Short mmCIF file of all heavy atoms in Angstrom, two decimals:
data_model
loop_
_atom_site.label_atom_id
_atom_site.label_comp_id
_atom_site.label_asym_id
_atom_site.label_seq_id
_atom_site.Cartn_x
_atom_site.Cartn_y
_atom_site.Cartn_z
N TYR F 37 84.26 -92.06 120.37
CA TYR F 37 84.53 -90.93 121.24
C TYR F 37 83.40 -89.89 121.27
O TYR F 37 83.29 -89.11 122.22
CB TYR F 37 85.82 -90.23 120.82
CG TYR F 37 87.07 -91.04 121.07
CD1 TYR F 37 88.11 -91.06 120.14
CD2 TYR F 37 87.23 -91.77 122.24
CE1 TYR F 37 89.27 -91.78 120.39
CE2 TYR F 37 88.37 -92.49 122.49
CZ TYR F 37 89.40 -92.50 121.54
OH TYR F 37 90.53 -93.23 121.80
N PHE F 245 106.52 -88.80 127.22
CA PHE F 245 105.22 -88.83 126.55
C PHE F 245 105.34 -88.71 125.03
O PHE F 245 104.32 -88.67 124.33
CB PHE F 245 104.31 -87.73 127.10
CG PHE F 245 103.83 -88.01 128.49
CD1 PHE F 245 104.41 -87.37 129.57
CD2 PHE F 245 102.81 -88.92 128.72
CE1 PHE F 245 103.98 -87.63 130.87
CE2 PHE F 245 102.37 -89.19 130.01
CZ PHE F 245 102.96 -88.54 131.09
N LYS F 249 101.56 -94.05 121.37
CA LYS F 249 100.60 -94.90 122.06
C LYS F 249 100.63 -96.31 121.48
O LYS F 249 100.74 -96.48 120.26
CB LYS F 249 99.19 -94.34 121.93
CG LYS F 249 98.94 -93.05 122.69
CD LYS F 249 97.48 -92.63 122.50
CE LYS F 249 97.19 -91.33 123.22
NZ LYS F 249 95.77 -90.92 123.03
N ASN F 252 94.57 -97.40 121.52
CA ASN F 252 93.62 -96.33 121.81
C ASN F 252 92.54 -96.84 122.75
O ASN F 252 91.97 -97.91 122.53
CB ASN F 252 92.99 -95.82 120.52
CG ASN F 252 93.99 -95.15 119.61
OD1 ASN F 252 94.76 -94.31 120.05
ND2 ASN F 252 93.99 -95.53 118.34
N CYS F 253 92.27 -96.09 123.79
CA CYS F 253 91.35 -96.53 124.84
C CYS F 253 89.96 -95.93 124.65
O CYS F 253 89.80 -94.71 124.56
CB CYS F 253 91.89 -96.14 126.21
SG CYS F 253 90.81 -96.68 127.56
N PRO F 256 86.28 -95.76 129.02
CA PRO F 256 85.35 -94.89 129.77
C PRO F 256 84.13 -94.46 128.96
O PRO F 256 83.24 -93.80 129.50
CB PRO F 256 86.22 -93.68 130.13
CG PRO F 256 87.63 -94.17 130.03
CD PRO F 256 87.61 -95.15 128.91
N PHE F 257 84.09 -94.82 127.69
CA PHE F 257 82.96 -94.48 126.85
C PHE F 257 81.94 -95.62 126.77
O PHE F 257 80.87 -95.44 126.20
CB PHE F 257 83.44 -94.11 125.45
CG PHE F 257 84.33 -92.91 125.42
CD1 PHE F 257 85.69 -93.03 125.68
CD2 PHE F 257 83.82 -91.65 125.16
CE1 PHE F 257 86.53 -91.91 125.67
CE2 PHE F 257 84.65 -90.53 125.15
CZ PHE F 257 86.00 -90.67 125.41
N MET F 298 83.90 -88.49 135.44
CA MET F 298 84.02 -89.38 134.29
C MET F 298 84.24 -88.59 133.00
O MET F 298 85.05 -88.98 132.16
CB MET F 298 82.76 -90.25 134.17
CG MET F 298 82.86 -91.33 133.10
SD MET F 298 84.22 -92.50 133.39
CE MET F 298 83.43 -94.03 132.88
N ASN F 299 83.55 -87.49 132.86
CA ASN F 299 83.74 -86.67 131.66
C ASN F 299 85.14 -86.09 131.60
O ASN F 299 85.70 -85.90 130.50
CB ASN F 299 82.69 -85.56 131.61
CG ASN F 299 81.32 -86.09 131.22
OD1 ASN F 299 81.21 -87.05 130.46
ND2 ASN F 299 80.26 -85.47 131.73
N SER F 300 85.74 -85.80 132.75
CA SER F 300 87.12 -85.30 132.75
C SER F 300 88.09 -86.40 132.32
O SER F 300 89.11 -86.11 131.67
CB SER F 300 87.49 -84.75 134.12
OG SER F 300 87.61 -85.79 135.09
N VAL F 301 87.79 -87.64 132.69
CA VAL F 301 88.60 -88.77 132.22
C VAL F 301 88.50 -88.89 130.70
O VAL F 301 89.51 -89.03 130.00
CB VAL F 301 88.18 -90.08 132.90
CG1 VAL F 301 88.91 -91.27 132.27
CG2 VAL F 301 88.46 -90.04 134.40
N ARG F 302 87.28 -88.81 130.20
CA ARG F 302 87.08 -88.90 128.74
C ARG F 302 87.83 -87.78 128.02
O ARG F 302 88.49 -88.02 127.00
CB ARG F 302 85.59 -88.85 128.41
CG ARG F 302 84.80 -90.05 128.92
CD ARG F 302 83.33 -89.94 128.56
NE ARG F 302 82.59 -91.06 129.12
CZ ARG F 302 81.54 -90.96 129.92
NH1 ARG F 302 81.09 -89.75 130.27
NH2 ARG F 302 80.92 -92.04 130.36
N GLN F 303 87.73 -86.58 128.56
CA GLN F 303 88.40 -85.46 127.92
C GLN F 303 89.92 -85.63 127.99
O GLN F 303 90.64 -85.29 127.03
CB GLN F 303 87.99 -84.14 128.60
CG GLN F 303 88.48 -82.89 127.88
CD GLN F 303 87.97 -82.80 126.45
OE1 GLN F 303 86.79 -83.03 126.20
NE2 GLN F 303 88.85 -82.47 125.52
N GLY F 304 90.40 -86.18 129.09
CA GLY F 304 91.83 -86.42 129.22
C GLY F 304 92.34 -87.42 128.21
O GLY F 304 93.48 -87.31 127.73
N ILE F 305 91.52 -88.40 127.86
CA ILE F 305 91.90 -89.35 126.82
C ILE F 305 91.88 -88.67 125.45
O ILE F 305 92.79 -88.87 124.63
CB ILE F 305 90.94 -90.56 126.84
CG1 ILE F 305 91.24 -91.44 128.06
CG2 ILE F 305 91.05 -91.39 125.56
CD1 ILE F 305 90.30 -92.59 128.26
N LEU F 306 90.87 -87.85 125.21
CA LEU F 306 90.74 -87.20 123.91
C LEU F 306 91.91 -86.26 123.62
O LEU F 306 92.42 -86.22 122.49
CB LEU F 306 89.42 -86.41 123.85
CG LEU F 306 88.14 -87.25 123.79
CD1 LEU F 306 86.91 -86.37 123.89
CD2 LEU F 306 88.10 -88.05 122.48
N ASN F 307 92.33 -85.51 124.63
CA ASN F 307 93.43 -84.56 124.38
C ASN F 307 94.77 -85.03 124.94
O ASN F 307 95.73 -84.26 124.98
CB ASN F 307 93.06 -83.16 124.90
CG ASN F 307 92.76 -83.14 126.38
OD1 ASN F 307 93.23 -83.98 127.15
ND2 ASN F 307 91.97 -82.14 126.81
N ASP F 308 94.80 -86.29 125.40
CA ASP F 308 96.04 -86.90 125.89
C ASP F 308 96.65 -86.10 127.04
O ASP F 308 97.86 -85.92 127.13
CB ASP F 308 97.05 -87.03 124.75
CG ASP F 308 98.10 -88.11 125.01
OD1 ASP F 308 97.85 -88.98 125.87
OD2 ASP F 308 99.15 -88.08 124.35
N SER F 309 95.78 -85.64 127.95
CA SER F 309 96.24 -84.77 129.04
C SER F 309 96.14 -85.42 130.42
O SER F 309 96.64 -84.85 131.39
CB SER F 309 95.43 -83.47 129.05
OG SER F 309 94.06 -83.74 129.32
N LEU F 310 95.48 -86.58 130.52
CA LEU F 310 95.32 -87.24 131.81
C LEU F 310 96.49 -88.20 132.02
O LEU F 310 96.63 -89.19 131.31
CB LEU F 310 93.99 -87.99 131.87
CG LEU F 310 93.61 -88.59 133.22
CD1 LEU F 310 93.53 -87.52 134.31
CD2 LEU F 310 92.29 -89.33 133.12
N ARG F 311 97.32 -87.88 132.98
CA ARG F 311 98.60 -88.58 133.14
C ARG F 311 98.43 -90.10 133.27
O ARG F 311 99.14 -90.86 132.62
CB ARG F 311 99.33 -88.03 134.38
CG ARG F 311 100.77 -88.48 134.49
CD ARG F 311 101.49 -87.75 135.62
NE ARG F 311 102.88 -88.14 135.68
CZ ARG F 311 103.85 -87.58 134.97
NH1 ARG F 311 103.57 -86.60 134.15
NH2 ARG F 311 105.10 -87.99 135.09
N ASN F 312 97.49 -90.55 134.10
CA ASN F 312 97.28 -91.99 134.26
C ASN F 312 97.00 -92.66 132.92
O ASN F 312 97.57 -93.70 132.59
CB ASN F 312 96.10 -92.24 135.19
CG ASN F 312 96.46 -92.08 136.65
OD1 ASN F 312 96.99 -92.99 137.27
ND2 ASN F 312 96.17 -90.91 137.19
N CYS F 313 96.10 -92.07 132.16
CA CYS F 313 95.69 -92.68 130.89
C CYS F 313 96.78 -92.56 129.83
O CYS F 313 97.00 -93.49 129.04
CB CYS F 313 94.40 -92.03 130.40
SG CYS F 313 93.00 -92.27 131.53
N SER F 314 97.47 -91.43 129.81
CA SER F 314 98.54 -91.25 128.83
C SER F 314 99.67 -92.24 129.05
O SER F 314 100.23 -92.80 128.09
CB SER F 314 99.08 -89.81 128.91
OG SER F 314 98.08 -88.88 128.58
N ILE F 315 100.01 -92.50 130.33
CA ILE F 315 101.03 -93.49 130.65
C ILE F 315 100.53 -94.89 130.31
O ILE F 315 101.24 -95.69 129.68
CB ILE F 315 101.43 -93.41 132.13
CG1 ILE F 315 102.21 -92.11 132.40
CG2 ILE F 315 102.27 -94.61 132.54
CD1 ILE F 315 102.53 -91.86 133.86
N GLN F 317 98.54 -95.99 128.12
CA GLN F 317 98.51 -96.32 126.70
C GLN F 317 99.90 -96.42 126.08
O GLN F 317 100.02 -96.73 124.88
CB GLN F 317 97.67 -95.29 125.95
CG GLN F 317 96.19 -95.35 126.32
CD GLN F 317 95.39 -94.23 125.67
OE1 GLN F 317 94.88 -94.38 124.57
NE2 GLN F 317 95.28 -93.12 126.37
N ARG F 318 100.94 -96.17 126.88
CA ARG F 318 102.29 -96.15 126.34
C ARG F 318 103.25 -97.15 127.00
O ARG F 318 104.26 -97.50 126.39
CB ARG F 318 102.89 -94.75 126.49
CG ARG F 318 102.26 -93.72 125.56
CD ARG F 318 102.83 -92.33 125.83
NE ARG F 318 102.47 -91.39 124.78
CZ ARG F 318 101.34 -90.68 124.76
NH1 ARG F 318 100.48 -90.79 125.75
NH2 ARG F 318 101.09 -89.85 123.76
#
Side-chain angles (χ1 to χ4, degrees):
Y37 290 140
F245 288 102
K249 291 181 181 180
N252 295 311
C253 181
F257 298 84
M298 187 60 141
N299 286 328
S300 70
V301 173
R302 294 181 183 124
Q303 188 59 46
I305 287 175
L306 290 173
N307 59 25
D308 203 18
S309 63
L310 187 59
R311 191 172 183 86
N312 281 277
C313 298
S314 297
I315 290 174
Q317 292 175 90
R318 289 176 167 88

